Amino acid sequence: SLYGYTFLWALIAAVIFKWVINREIGRFAVTTGASLLDGVCTIPGPRNWAVWFILVPQFLVSASALSGLASCAATALILFLPGSVLFWQGVILLSTTLFLLYGKYSLLEKFATLFAVVLALVALITALYVLPDIADLSSGLTPSLPDVNYQEIIPWLSFVLAGSAGMIWYSYWLPEKGYGAVHLFKRTGIIRKREEYSSQEIKWLRGWNRQMTVDLTMGALGGLIIVSSFLILGAEILRPEALIPDDNRIAEVLGRLLENLWGRTGFWFMVAGVFCGLYNTTLTNQDGWSRLFCNGTKIVAGYFQAGNISSSVRIRNTYVLLLGAGAFSLFCVFGKAVSLLKLAGIITMFQIPLIGIMTLYINQRLMPQKLRPGWMITILTFGALIFFGTFAIKLLLTIW
């Protein structure tokens, strides 16, 4: 809605580079059965410096992002219910906290997933209907860094597909879904030495890595199609009317994306989509960050014993409560949903390429030769460092 198709090239590049970094994180999780934090804590240097490098910024990112997501979801509720954004944000965060503490949200998650699929299909159909001339669309494929507000662009690129925390969560998701080495040994935080893998295990794990790559590729392509659809809708519907989804009008403005073609039914369907999508994202992100901080706490405390589930649950639940309270308190102080998401996105932009480099390093260092990343992946990982680093530097230059 701000810059049309100017950054279409950057969207495609961000998806490709995030696919590369996610694949390396997936390679580590599939091959070792451990989380990424368990791997980066083995990087030489001061004790757990790499773990602290990830965790400290994520404390601010988590509170900012959850506060922004919950308040964005609340902008849908104020369109048909009495109460302020602050009130409904508090209700949303309280409900997500209770869901996570008691673990009763599987049905809600299935419904939200189904709704998201339907919304994505509707957005794709609408985007095809308003599709511009190929010349207009292809004009955005030429890389350029015009003089624009990069505080708007960088959070968008940071959160496309997944932010830095979402990438790390991938190393939790894969073992929980039964991929790879989780069948060989329990996840204790202690990583098997590369010479301990048998030739049969290496062959078996290579098959799992291929499966992970296929799944990840399908997900990235689907994500690119969906985000591109919304990019087209923003450029063709919101931009001509100078409409920007901002703060308390997020759901109202986004509803216009479908209203032009589908009428008021489309408007309210989009409003419902905004609420369901952002509520489910708040829920899953609060869950993901609580797992990340639980894992990090156990590492820095030197706690690797397997089997003590009750201790892990207590630590995780403590973070669930702290995240909910922190996100609500942050909105009480700042009161701007989009601004909080921008702050989280800017910090994430600086973390993504460095997490990619750390993951590449531990994969080269800890894995058997036949399971290590090749030269092409190595080049692309450094390409991600250049790409995300360039946007981060561009932001710093515009601020200064």
Side-chain angles (χ1 to χ4, degrees):
S1 61
L2 282 173
Y3 306 119
Y5 302 111
T6 303
F7 291 97
L8 177 59
W9 70 272
L11 167 63
I12 296 171
V15 169
I16 292 172
F17 287 129
K18 286 188 179 185
W19 176 90
V20 172
I21 297 173
N22 261 331
R23 185 172 181 269
E24 287 311 292
I25 292 173
R27 184 199 302 273
F28 178 80
V30 167
T31 304
T32 66
S35 74
L36 184 66
L37 285 189
D38 295 326
V40 299
C41 75
T42 67
I43 297 177
R47 181 179 174 83
N48 292 324
W49 73 268
V51 176
W52 286 113
F53 169 82
I54 292 173
L55 290 182
V56 172
Q58 285 301 318
F59 283 118
L60 181 57
V61 170
S62 60
S64 300
L66 287 174
S67 183
L69 287 166
S71 52
C72 287
T75 64
L77 296 179
I78 63 172
L79 293 177
F80 58 92
L81 291 173
S84 65
V85 170
L86 176 63
F87 170 78
W88 286 114
Q89 190 226 34
V91 172
I92 289 168
L93 288 171
L94 177 61
S95 64
T96 57
T97 300
L98 293 175
F99 275 131
L100 291 171
L101 290 177
Y102 294 100
K104 305 294 184 182
Y105 63 93
S106 59
L107 183 61
L108 175 67
E109 195 170 37
K110 290 176 182 177
F111 172 78
T113 301
L114 178 62
F115 197 101
V117 171
V118 175
L119 180 61
L121 290 173
V122 172
L124 175 59
I125 293 169
T126 311
L128 292 173
Y129 181 81
V130 301
L131 191 66
D133 294 335
I134 298 300
D136 292 340
L137 200 59
S138 60
S139 65
L141 297 176
T142 302
S144 64
L145 292 172
D147 186 17
V148 299
N149 184 358
Y150 282 89
Q151 294 183 48
E152 300 283 354
I153 299 300
I154 284 178
W156 175 62
L157 293 175
S158 295
F159 290 130
V160 165
L161 296 189
S164 54
M167 292 177 170
I168 298 170
W169 301 338
Y170 192 47
S171 67
Y172 302 138
W173 185 86
L174 287 168
E176 286 193 7
K177 295 299 181 181
Y179 280 64
V182 71
H183 297 290
L184 300 179
F185 55 94
K186 293 181 179 179
R187 290 178 63 196
T188 63
I190 301 173
I191 300 167
R192 179 185 290 194
K193 296 179 181 178
R194 60 190 183 189
E195 60 268 16
E196 295 176 352
Y197 289 85
S198 68
S199 58
Q200 186 62 33
E201 287 175 340
I202 290 174
K203 181 179 179 181
W204 187 72
L205 289 170
R206 288 178 74 178
W208 272 110
N209 274 293
R210 285 192 294 270
Q211 179 64 52
M212 178 270 298
T213 301
V214 171
D215 295 347
L216 186 63
T217 302
M218 296 299 293
L221 287 174
L224 178 60
I225 291 171
I226 293 169
V227 178
S228 298
S229 298
F230 279 100
L231 178 67
I232 292 170
L233 293 175
E236 297 300 320
I237 296 175
L238 299 186
R239 184 170 169 79
E241 299 183 34
L243 289 172
I244 300 172
D246 199 9
D247 293 323
N248 293 353
R249 297 185 64 231
I250 292 167
E252 179 185 350
V253 173
L254 290 177
R256 299 287 294 275
L257 293 175
L258 301 184
E259 185 179 21
N260 285 17
L261 179 61
W262 307 96
R264 293 302 288 178
T265 300
F267 174 86
W268 287 111
F269 181 77
M270 187 66 198
V271 169
V274 169
F275 175 75
C276 290
L278 292 175
Y279 183 91
N280 190 54
T281 304
T282 304
L283 178 68
T284 54
N285 283 8
Q286 191 174 355
D287 184 27
W289 267 304
S290 67
R291 292 170 186 264
L292 173 66
F293 295 142
C294 175
N295 186 199
T297 298
K298 292 170 68 175
I299 289 172
V300 298
Y303 175 85
F304 288 117
Q305 290 86 350
N308 195 340
I309 298 175
S310 60
S311 177
S312 296
V313 171
R314 285 197 299 270
I315 296 172
R316 174 184 167 274
N317 287 348
T318 299
Y319 280 115
V320 168
L321 289 167
L322 290 174
L323 285 166
F328 181 72
S329 300
L330 200 61
F331 190 74
C332 288
V333 174
F334 293 100
K336 290 187 177 292
V338 175
S339 298
L340 290 169
L341 286 173
K342 288 178 185 176
L343 173 63
I346 290 169
I347 296 172
T348 296
M349 176 63 78
F350 286 88
Q351 266 201 324
I352 288 173
L354 297 177
I355 287 175
I357 296 298
M358 288 193 292
T359 306
L360 181 68
Y361 173 79
I362 62 175
N363 283 351
Q364 292 284 8
R365 179 170 173 263
L366 301 177
M367 291 185 184
Q369 181 68 41
K370 292 184 178 179
L371 293 174
R372 294 177 195 170
W375 62 270
M376 180 62 73
I377 292 296
T378 301
I379 291 173
L380 287 172
T381 302
F382 279 96
L385 176 65
I386 295 171
F387 174 79
F388 290 109
T390 298
F391 275 95
I393 292 171
K394 188 72 174 177
L395 172 67
L396 292 177
L397 292 175
T398 56
I399 291 176
W400 289 338

